[in-house]
Amino acid sequence: MSFSTPLKKILNSKLIGLSAAIMAASLNVQAMDQKAFEKAMGEIPKKGASEKLKALQDIRYRWIMESYPENATYRGYPGGEKDWTDQSNKGIERRKGQTRELLAASRHIDEDKLPENEQLDYQLLYQDLLLQVKGYQFPEHLLPVNHMSGIQRNVPAVLSAMPKRTAADYEDILARLEKLPTLIDQTQILMEKGLKQKLTPPQITLRDIPGQIRALIPTDPKQSPLLKAFYEMPASIPAAQQTRLRNRAQNLYQKTLIPEWQRLAEYVERDYIPNANTETAFTKNDDGIRWYAYKVREQTTTEMSPEEIHRIGLEEVRRIRGEMDAIIKKTGFDGDFKAFTDFLRNDPQFYYDNKEDLLKNYRDIAKRIDGELPALFGTLPRLPYGVKAIPSYSEKSQTTAYYQPGSNEAGRAGVFFANTYDLKSRPTWEMEALTVHEAMPGHHLQIALAQEQSDIHPLRRNKFYTGFVEGWGLYSESLGYDLGLYTDPYNEFGALTYDMWRAVRLVVDTGMHQLGWSRDEAIEYFMNNSAKPEHDIVVEIDRYLVWPGQALAYKVGQLKIKEIRARAEEALGDNFNIREFHDALLGAGALPLNVLESRMNTWIESQGGEISKAQPVSDSGGQAALN
């Protein structure tokens, strides 16, 4: 894989930054409205590049936490526990204007006057703001809901992540619940505006949304994920107080929340789905070709075109298919590739009969992995993680698994969520690769380590670049061999199936959105090159339709990390140390792939290796949410 166009300057360094505790103490926590924003911007020092940079980093981090209170909840940042993001037109335009002001202010920092150890901080801040402002030319806000994300998915997740230790915590939850009608109204208004502009997710992907909404409002409030916390209150809260809080929540639920959510479900059924866009290609939207190219750049943090990524995908599919055929021969199976994948999809030996056994095996795999990690990593995170089932209200249309980051500040562990819906689509041969990716040494190790980097600014510790984060998750799957996994040929085939899954993504995402493939053609291609169950494949294809470009980051990032490792092994020879390599790779938190490559080239040279001066470096930074 090749990348092009280096940044104007990328310097690698040991970074300095304010700790979260120092920064939180220095900020007056209040809503980042225009008045508060202007006051903070007016206090940026007039002299000194370093002072300006630190002040701008503080403002940017505070702005993110207070403009998006849901993020603050996940991070344990105080002050926004009662609020939701303002999705009114005024709120959206205010945030756009403030981001443009932050970008303008960053341009007044003289990068050349910054100490060498601060230039990476500046480069990341500047290019993140620049990319975000460039994205404002596209009406992304008019796509607020799809079956993978949106108010019906985000609200219960945020409520679940809120602290639940004291009566005051429950007062915060109640305050948020009381503000839900406003958020629902704002969301529906955005959907209506999008519908008028013929901008919606593809109609076929919307089928489960009414059910997802209604799953939040069962007749029995005890069964609602919105009120779950009020039936699991800690004994430290007096019984009389528990009753009072619970009664308030139930009254709000019956009188307000059920009617409001029901109204939204009816709108989706009556107006939104029947009139939604029947085209599946994102490029069919107004200015869709440029918009998709932007998304590809944002997610991969490269300048690669969709066509180039498509070609790489085809090459990877051919390579992995050859390795899969070799495994089939090793098993002694009498039949072709299709017959073998049908065997893996249908033979009862590869499936559990109950959900608890499935979760138990995931936990067993996770525990086995944990004991082998010191051989590959010199530094491991302190934050623990757990394994849970994906909530029932979202499991049907959710992917195989996902990871939810924890937070030391919030006192919350990370969670590897596994899908237990339709056990006949959850084969055992995929479990080892999936656990490595979502938990350790994949997402939990990388994200928790980044959060614990006390020598970099909180803005950097909590940064998410999909190409790096998901690239690391996919690269981690290849470490399963070093961790004592994939000893069974079926599990080894499962690992290859997961690698193939991400290679297929390059082909079908670009195929559907750039090259004119139909949804059915994408499903057929996936089925012909993978052993994944058909239900999973359909869910995956629909995911690519509503999150165009996001799935490209996994394989692009993995290939770049593998390329960097191969370069280090060649340059360092017998002096290559895998533990030191991994610590260096993860030691600065998530980075755009171009910055990662430059940083690791410098590390290789610091270890005595030589890097060709003609080595290409990729361009562009991006940001995305973890799925």
Side-chain angles (χ1 to χ4, degrees), residues 24 27-32 62 65-84 162-163 169 172 175-176 179:
L27 292 177
N28 178 23
V29 177
Q30 56 179 304
M32 185 60 92
R62 175 186 168 185
M65 294 296 104
E66 296 178 18
S67 297
Y68 302 94
E70 299 88 345
N71 283 350
T73 294
Y74 288 121
R75 302 292 175 236
Y77 183 100
E81 295 87 352
K82 299 177 175 65
D83 299 317
W84 302 100
M162 291 182 69
D169 291 336
D172 290 340
R176 257 190 172 147
K179 293 178 181 179

Side-chain angles (χ1 to χ4, degrees), residues 145-148 151-153 156 191 204-219 223-226 253 258 261-270 272-273 391-398 421:
V145 170
N146 57 59
H147 72 287
M148 294 294 298
I151 187 173
Q152 83 285 4
R153 302 293 294 272
M191 295 170 73
I204 194 162
T205 68
L206 300 173
R207 59 193 181 276
D208 290 333
I209 293 180
Q212 291 175 346
I213 296 172
R214 291 195 173 95
L216 303 180
I217 50 171
T219 303
Q223 303 302 316
S224 172
L226 302 176
Y253 181 76
I258 289 180
W261 284 109
Q262 183 63 30
R263 177 174 57 81
L264 181 63
E266 290 171 355
Y267 165 73
V268 173
E269 284 179 324
R270 182 187 66 247
Y272 200 66
I273 293 178
S392 59
Y393 58 82
S394 64
E395 61 182 3
K396 181 179 178 181
S397 55
Q398 183 56 271
Y421 174 79

Side-chain angles (χ1 to χ4, degrees), residues 371-555:
E372 302 298 326
L373 292 172
L376 298 178
F377 300 90
T379 304
L380 295 170
R382 299 185 303 275
L383 187 72
Y385 70 98
V387 181
K388 297 181 180 181
I390 289 176
S392 59
Y393 58 82
S394 64
E395 61 182 3
K396 181 179 178 181
S397 55
Q398 183 56 271
T399 52
T400 314
Y402 62 87
Y403 171 73
Q404 178 178 290
S407 168
N408 274 313
E409 291 83 358
R412 188 183 68 252
V415 181
F416 161 29
F417 282 99
N419 204 326
T420 59
Y421 174 79
D422 185 17
L423 290 175
K424 294 306 179 185
S425 65
R426 313 296 167 198
T428 57
W429 44 259
E430 72 178 357
M431 296 178 74
E432 290 183 343
L434 188 60
T435 305
V436 169
H437 181 108
E438 301 294 348
M440 295 283 258
H443 287 329
H444 179 72
L445 186 147
Q446 182 267 310
I447 292 172
L449 274 181
Q451 292 173 339
E452 295 171 9
Q453 296 296 317
S454 60
D455 60 341
I456 61 177
H457 195 280
L459 183 64
R460 290 269 318 283
R461 292 205 293 269
N462 296 298
K463 188 61 183 173
F464 187 99
Y465 296 98
T466 313
F468 180 96
V469 174
E470 296 295 358
W472 171 260
L474 183 49
Y475 165 81
S476 295
E477 293 177 25
S478 68
L479 300 178
Y481 295 97
D482 301 304
L483 296 166
L485 305 178
Y486 313 148
T487 55
D488 181 296
Y490 300 116
N491 289 337
E492 186 177 8
F493 193 89
L496 288 174
T497 293
Y498 267 51
D499 200 21
M500 175 68 86
W501 172 19
R502 282 41 170 263
V504 166
R505 285 176 168 179
L506 301 188
V507 178
V508 299
D509 192 297
T510 55
M512 289 189 295
H513 294 304
Q514 188 78 15
L515 303 178
W517 287 29
S518 70
R519 177 176 177 269
D520 287 343
E521 286 174 322
I523 291 172
E524 182 180 8
Y525 183 86
F526 206 147
M527 289 286 292
N528 290 341
N529 288 284
S530 169
K532 283 190 71 64
E534 185 174 1
H535 172 81
D536 268 9
I537 289 173
V538 171
V539 169
E540 281 293 313
I541 293 299
D542 287 347
R543 165 187 168 172
Y544 310 152
L545 290 177
V546 300
W547 285 353
Q550 190 269 350
L552 305 178
Y554 296 64
K555 175 59 72 168

